[in-house]
Amino acid sequence: MAAARVDLDGNPIKAMTICMIGAGGFIGSHLCEKLMTETPHKVLALDVYNDKIKHLLEPAGSHPWSDRIQFHRLNIKHDSRLEGLIKMADLTINLAAICTPADYNTRPLDTIYSNFIDALPVVKYCSENSKRLIHFSTCEVYGKTIGSFLPKDSPLRQDPEYYVLKEDASPCIFGPIEKQRWSYACAKQLIERLIYAEGAENGLEFAIVRPFNWIGPRMDFIPGIDGPSEGVPRVLACFSNNLLRHEPLKLVDGGESQRTFVYIKDAIEAVLLMIENPARVNGHIFNVGNPHNEVTVRQLAEMMIEVYSKVSGEPPLESPTVDVSSQEFYGVGYDDSDKRIPDMTIINRQLGWNPKTSLWDLLESTLTYQHRTYAEAVKQALAKPAAN
Ligand code: NAD
Ligand code: UDP
């Protein structure tokens, strides 16, 4: 018989029912996969789409976990089933959001509604029914680093005090209203504050996750293949699309912004620890990222070109990158985060979690997946004569 699973304090872990909102998205699909293959927990999976979790749901009844996952197709904006589903569960995880930078300045109202207004009933139902909540926020709530306001040649820019982002100490520095990236950040910040207040005044049991660029297979879509031709996904899918089509990778405003990327499978380990160690996470906000995987967007492009050539067996592109202005790429009102290094003190102390996968290794497995999944479809799409 398999040994009983225990939490970080050595107590046996009881099987629970989890209401996962946004389960059909990138993070949700990996979390469902982890919960089905490695735990006894049940998932009520809520989303408007289920393409990314179809492999877990179909063929019906055929998997060892089939009786532990139920898909409910619903939009949380207007569906009276939401409260009942939250009541049926021990824990709710809310992942639902519009969270793609191309949407922030082209669909600003949807962005604010999705990240604040639509999350309100979820918080309310959890609080009123005394249910635990794990809410997904974003590293974007930190906004710009203090260092970005220093003169370019200031030695203080090299001092971690001016750029490392700490959950309980760093300020949240947003740009002007007309730069609508910060409306996303502001909506996420306000829902964090509301959840915190529900905890303080009404005893809501919660944890808040701030993801720092989690990437891996199934992230977003490839335009014209499994998403709209004119759609602009996040950078991993944009660059994958360029590589699959053998076209130069587009560097927005010179590709100077810096990001730290963490492999989705590492990050999911952190979420599982949060699910299974409620006493250690209650009332906390957690950065989840990999401070060792920092690159500029230009360096990311260069590394992806090299890795893609290795995994596809195709020669690297002759003109690998091209510069585009943010206005041309995203439209008026775009702004960027300059640098994102997560402080790891709290997650280390509470959960002993550390990311394991290097940027090279995570790109190798992710681009192998992209090549295997999309190369043939892209080839066929490119071979079709353009419609008149
Ligand atoms: P995603 O877009 O792949 O997943 C979000 C899912 O929510 C989608 O499947 C979407 O259909 C669903 N959804 C949205 N609105 C809904 C509604 N009204 N009703 C039902 N379902 C709805 O995004 P993701 O990368 O998986 O991100 C999940 C969460 O993590 C988001 O809250 C996002 O802000 C946060 N986040 C992610 C990252 C990252 O690195 N991936 C970074 C920062 C924050
Ligand atoms: N970016 C880019 N080319 C692209 C897509 C994105 O240079 O084709 C840049 C974007 O301007 C930002 C970074 O890549 O500086 C990361 O963008 P992403 O959409 O992944 O989300 P963010 O980290 O900004 O939330």
Side-chain angles (χ1 to χ4, degrees):
M1 216 174 82
R5 298 175 66 252
V6 291
D7 67 17
L8 292 173
D9 299 305
N11 305 311
I13 296 169
K14 289 199 201 105
M16 61 185 108
T17 299
I18 299 168
C19 173
M20 196 191 299
I21 306 168
F26 163 57
I27 296 176
S29 74
H30 286 274
L31 189 52
C32 285
E33 208 167 80
K34 183 87 174 172
L35 290 165
M36 290 305 107
T37 55
E38 292 181 28
T39 80
H41 308 308
K42 287 189 180 157
V43 173
L44 308 172
L46 282 53
D47 206 303
V48 279
Y49 305 113
N50 69 5
D51 311 19
K52 295 184 184 186
I53 51 171
K54 269 221 165 92
H55 62 293
L56 301 171
L57 303 169
E58 294 175 0
S62 66
H63 300 293
W65 54 78
S66 290
D67 61 346
R68 291 195 287 113
I69 184 162
Q70 258 176 36
F71 178 66
H72 298 263
R73 192 179 300 278
L74 61 85
N75 187 330
I76 59 163
K77 272 183 192 298
H78 42 67
D79 200 300
S80 57
R81 289 173 292 172
L82 180 62
E83 184 171 13
L85 290 162
I86 289 176
K87 276 185 174 172
M88 279 166 67
D90 304 292
L91 160 70
T92 292
I93 301 181
N94 189 8
L95 295 148
I98 288 177
C99 51
T100 306
D103 290 327
Y104 305 159
N105 58 320
T106 53
R107 300 169 60 200
L109 282 175
D110 284 344
T111 302
I112 295 170
Y113 272 77
S114 164
N115 284 286
F116 182 65
I117 307 282
D118 300 346
L120 284 176
V122 177
V123 181
K124 179 171 166 263
Y125 297 146
C126 287
S127 188
E128 287 174 356
N129 295 290
S130 304
K131 300 290 184 181
R132 271 182 80 202
L133 172 65
I134 297 182
H135 185 82
F136 272 70
S137 180
T138 173
C139 57
E140 201 87 49
V141 296
Y142 294 107
K144 298 168 189 264
T145 61
I146 308 174
S148 70
F149 294 90
L150 294 168
K152 282 259 179 294
D153 56 355
S154 166
L156 290 178
R157 278 187 174 242
Q158 309 310 317
D159 181 345
E161 277 301 307
Y162 290 82
Y163 61 78
V164 172
L165 302 169
K166 298 183 182 167
E167 298 93 327
D168 52 356
S170 295
C172 301
I173 308 173
F174 299 162
I177 304 296
E178 68 206 37
K179 303 288 187 198
Q180 298 190 87
R181 172 187 284 269
W182 311 116
S183 300
Y184 166 71
C186 191
K188 285 283 203 200
Q189 190 198 118
L190 192 53
I191 199 76
E192 282 197 18
R193 289 187 184 274
L194 185 110
I195 292 168
Y196 193 89
E198 278 290 349
E201 277 194 38
N202 297 325
L204 172 69
E205 238 189 290
F206 73 87
I208 289 171
V209 186
R210 291 182 179 166
F212 280 66
N213 291 77
W214 300 9
I215 62 173
R218 295 198 291 272
M219 185 166 196
D220 299 337
F221 57 89
I222 297 299
I225 304 298
D226 56 1
S229 313
E230 300 307 315
V232 180
R234 287 169 285 187
V235 67
L236 173 81
C238 283
F239 286 174
S240 300
N241 183 40
N242 299 142
L243 291 164
L244 287 155
R245 291 175 194 275
H246 307 110
E247 62 189 28
L249 280 59
K250 293 182 176 155
L251 299 179
V252 172
D253 293 341
E256 286 174 8
S257 300
Q258 290 166 293
R259 294 288 187 272
T260 49
F261 293 94
V262 63
Y263 191 35
I264 182 70
K265 290 187 194 298
D266 288 353
I268 290 294
E269 295 275 349
V271 183
L272 184 58
L273 286 168
M274 291 179 205
I275 293 172
E276 298 191 326
N277 292 277
R280 286 180 177 240
V281 301
N282 185 27
H284 286 287
I285 299 178
F286 293 101
N287 287 343
V288 180
N290 188 337
H292 307 296
N293 280 349
E294 190 186 33
V295 278
T296 62
V297 173
R298 180 180 291 279
Q299 288 167 331
L300 173 74
E302 287 163 0
M303 198 185 275
M304 284 181 68
I305 291 164
E306 204 181 331
V307 173
Y308 189 72
S309 170
K310 181 179 171 204
V311 301
S312 66
E314 293 164 11
L317 294 166
E318 270 178 33
S319 0
T321 58
V322 61
D323 284 343
V324 290
S325 71
S326 54
Q327 179 151 341
E328 206 182 317
F329 194 78
Y330 289 112
V332 186
Y334 178 78
D335 201 359
D336 210 347
S337 298
D338 54 304
K339 184 174 175 77
R340 291 181 183 156
I341 307 260
D343 181 86
M344 306 296 287
T345 311
I346 296 184
I347 196 155
N348 265 308
R349 185 186 68 212
Q350 297 304 115
L351 298 172
W353 176 84
N354 279 301
K356 302 183 204 107
T357 314
S358 69
L359 186 56
W360 178 276
D361 288 352
L362 77 86
L363 288 177
E364 197 165 313
S365 50
T366 305
L367 292 181
T368 300
Y369 171 89
Q370 303 289 58
H371 182 68
R372 196 177 60 226
T373 310
Y374 294 110
E376 194 49 43
V378 170
K379 203 165 132 193
Q380 286 181 17
L382 289 173
K384 270 193 208 143
N388 294 326

